[in-house]
Amino acid sequence: MIRTVFISTCLVFIGVQSLLPIEEGILNNKPEAGGQIWAVIIAGSNNWFNYRHQSDVSHLYHLLTKKHGIPKKNVITFMYNDIAFNEENPYPGTIINALHGKDVYEGVMIDYMNSDVNPETFLNVLQGKRMRIGSMKTLKSGPKDMVFVNFVDHGGPGVLGFPKSELHLKDLTATLEYMNSNKMYHQMLWYVEACYSGSMFQSLSPDMNITAHTAANEKESSYACVKDEDIGVYLGDCWSLNWMNNTEQIFPSLSKETVQEQFTIVKKMTTESHASLYGDMTYITAQPISKFLGHPSKDEQADPVRNIDIHHHRTATPDVMLEYYRSKLEKSDNAAEQERLQDLISYHVKTEGRVQEIIEKISHQVTGDWEISQVFSRSHQLIRHPDCNKAVLNAFFGQCYKMQSHPYIIKYLYKITNLCNAYNSKIIVDAVVDNCNHN
């Protein structure tokens, strides 16, 4: 089913001329001789108000396989799969793409869905382990292959969200080191759409042949864009729409734009957050994006992009859920539904305030001084102790509130993870447990 979404705005495209000269020899847009391109793409969320994440990944799946010629067997897809046939979907069986206003759900081969979308499965697939769930596909890349990973979901300081649990910096780093030591790639490129996504790669070694392009730096939220008033949700994430928009504008000439050039263009297009680059800044950034995104046939035609202003209506990711409930309340003419929504909104507004109080108390209990605790609350600090960061966040998610059901909490978590740079993790975890008896 195809549906056109009408939004009364206009799109101002940014030119996509080459910003840097492509060095002699770099324009060889194939992987190493005998190598292949592999892609792992994941929408890490569930729930209707997170519609945009599965829209982003479904759109990308078709770009990689249908438009860019990457074999479907080389693309591994994670998606909870609760959007297309959600009871709130007025167009059952479809997921609408923001750039084209058309269904992108049909034809997507989902390898891991529902409860299989979890950190353990994701990391096992990246490590090429034998799988006994889902489609059983796993990453079979080797030392000549190029690997592309796209992650889309919520994030916090040193953490990425999954439907029921979280992926921590410590565990991702260990997996990347495993992949590197086991020669599972020639070069690897990560594109990550999440709040504070830079915190996952801020200390990434430049010597691992990995580059990460993130939607936001380590101190800020990413943003949702293009709200469909008919469906009541955002159809995409700003940074993701920008990089895929750029990719489609240069189609089929992906070999003429390098990773660095795409980053520079998308950084300029993304006005809500600071797109950032980490890891190897020498070799991968000089490669054509076709080395990771595929090699379109010159005969393949690009789909026309709609005239929309991607940035006309945008919201910081942690605030999308509450905005969704408020918008739904405004449109409701059912008294019982209005009461339910008002109670839900009131609960979350009060809870956000309570979260801030709890975090202040945790910091004060650890430091023993209100003035010292304020030092750790001023700004995001470099995560120097990933073990402690994981322990503190696990305690907070387990004893206080989960980022999946209370996404606004991610705006305040740095105030307690910063404590890891000066205090023992046990002291902080004990303070979390002592102050999180909210039930």
Side-chain angles (χ1 to χ4, degrees):
M1 176 181 177
I2 295 177
R3 185 175 73 91
T4 301
V5 182
F6 294 96
I7 301 179
S8 58
T9 53
C10 60
L11 175 65
V12 179
F13 285 114
I14 292 179
V16 286
Q17 297 178 346
S18 292
L19 301 180
L20 299 170
I22 298 179
E23 297 178 15
E24 186 70 27
I26 290 295
L27 203 54
N28 171 21
N29 66 348
K30 299 292 184 182
E32 290 288 292
Q36 305 177 65
I37 299 175
W38 289 81
V40 181
I41 60 178
I42 175 168
S45 69
N46 60 349
N47 290 318
W48 179 250
F49 54 80
N50 287 320
Y51 183 109
R52 63 196 182 279
H53 298 149
Q54 294 184 38
S55 177
D56 289 339
V57 166
S58 296
H59 179 200
L60 176 59
Y61 179 86
H62 289 296
L63 285 183
L64 296 179
T65 60
K66 182 180 178 182
K67 295 293 183 181
H68 299 176
I70 299 178
K72 292 181 179 180
K73 66 181 180 64
N74 284 25
V75 178
I76 304 172
T77 306
F78 288 74
M79 202 162 80
Y80 199 83
N81 200 27
D82 63 333
I83 298 299
F85 292 97
N86 193 290
E87 63 181 10
E88 296 198 54
N89 194 342
Y91 305 95
T94 69
I95 297 178
I96 305 303
N97 160 251
L99 293 180
H100 304 287
K102 297 179 180 180
D103 173 43
V104 287
Y105 180 71
E106 184 177 0
V108 176
M109 295 177 62
I110 306 173
D111 297 292
Y112 298 97
M113 65 179 74
N114 300 320
S115 61
D116 291 340
V117 182
N118 61 67
E120 294 74 25
T121 301
F122 178 56
L123 296 182
N124 284 340
V125 165
L126 287 177
Q127 293 176 55
K129 292 186 177 180
R130 184 176 180 182
M131 306 301 296
R132 299 182 183 276
I133 58 175
S135 70
M136 298 189 289
K137 278 168 70 173
T138 193
L139 193 60
K140 297 181 179 179
S141 55
K144 295 183 178 181
D145 296 331
M146 312 297 271
V147 176
F148 174 70
V149 182
N150 178 228
F151 183 96
V152 184
D153 190 17
H154 296 282
V159 67
L160 295 174
F162 279 74
K164 305 296 182 183
S165 55
E166 301 79 34
L167 171 61
H168 293 272
L169 170 61
K170 174 189 174 182
D171 302 315
L172 176 60
T173 300
T175 293
L176 296 180
E177 290 173 348
Y178 174 91
M179 296 175 73
N180 180 259
S181 62
N182 284 273
K183 296 179 172 55
M184 290 189 65
Y185 60 88
H186 177 60
Q187 293 176 332
M188 180 159 52
L189 178 64
W190 282 68
Y191 275 24
V192 181
E193 173 75 64
C195 295
Y196 313 102
S197 43
S199 67
M200 299 297 289
F201 302 98
Q202 200 174 5
S203 298
L204 179 64
S205 169
D207 301 320
M208 293 177 67
N209 289 327
I210 302 172
T211 296
H213 181 181
T214 64
N217 62 27
E218 67 280 1
K219 301 179 180 181
E220 63 188 356
S221 300
S222 59
Y223 280 72
C225 277
V226 187
K227 187 174 183 180
D228 185 308
E229 297 296 345
D230 181 23
I231 299 179
V233 293
Y234 286 93
L235 300 183
D237 294 282
C238 302
W239 173 83
S240 290
L241 292 176
N242 287 335
W243 82 257
M244 284 189 268
N245 184 11
N246 169 251
T247 301
E248 294 204 52
Q249 285 186 57
I250 63 173
F251 183 92
S253 302
L254 273 62
S255 62
K256 295 182 180 180
E257 184 171 290
T258 65
V259 171
Q260 177 66 54
E261 287 172 342
Q262 180 161 86
F263 167 73
T264 302
I265 293 167
V266 173
K267 184 177 178 66
K268 185 176 181 180
M269 295 171 73
T270 307
T271 57
E272 301 80 12
S273 60
H274 298 82
S276 299
L277 208 59
Y278 302 91
D280 170 43
M281 304 288 192
T282 304
Y283 301 105
I284 295 177
T285 51
Q287 297 287 0
I289 60 172
S290 57
K291 283 229 176 181
F292 300 94
L293 301 182
H295 317 289
S297 166
K298 293 182 179 180
D299 297 328
E300 188 71 48
Q301 298 297 312
D303 293 329
V305 176
R306 296 185 300 143
N307 288 328
I308 60 171
D309 180 358
I310 288 175
H311 309 278
H312 173 66
H313 190 165
R314 70 265 193 192
T315 296
T317 295
D319 301 322
V320 168
M321 183 187 74
L322 263 174
E323 182 192 288
Y324 166 73
Y325 289 140
R326 288 179 173 127
S327 178
K328 195 170 181 181
L329 175 61
E330 290 177 3
K331 295 177 181 179
S332 176
D333 56 7
N334 180 285
E337 177 71 357
Q338 289 174 345
E339 182 178 1
R340 184 188 73 83
L341 288 167
Q342 188 58 65
D343 288 345
L344 195 58
I345 292 167
S346 297
Y347 163 76
H348 282 293
V349 169
K350 291 178 181 177
T351 300
E352 182 167 3
R354 177 158 175 72
V355 165
Q356 295 175 69
E357 293 175 1
I358 289 172
I359 286 178
E360 286 183 4
K361 290 178 180 178
I362 292 170
S363 184
H364 180 255
Q365 181 173 325
V366 171
T367 63
D369 186 286
W370 285 112
E371 290 187 7
I372 294 177
S373 67
Q374 291 304 308
V375 172
F376 294 95
S377 300
R378 288 173 185 165
S379 63
H380 292 253
Q381 297 178 7
L382 177 67
I383 299 173
R384 302 183 186 279
H385 304 284
D387 286 340
C388 177
N389 198 86
K390 177 180 178 179
V392 170
L393 290 180
N394 274 344
F396 193 88
F397 296 148
Q399 300 293 323
C400 285
Y401 301 95
K402 299 279 285 183
M403 62 189 290
Q404 295 85 352
S405 55
H406 301 75
Y408 42 80
I409 70 173
I410 63 179
K411 294 185 285 187
Y412 313 107
L413 293 176
Y414 74 93
K415 297 181 179 182
I416 55 173
T417 58
N418 280 350
L419 295 169
C420 287
N421 287 336
Y423 298 91
N424 181 276
S425 61
K426 186 179 184 305
I427 296 174
I428 309 170
V429 168
D430 287 346
V432 170
V433 174
D434 289 344
N435 288 279
C436 279
N437 299 317
H438 60 275
N439 293 323

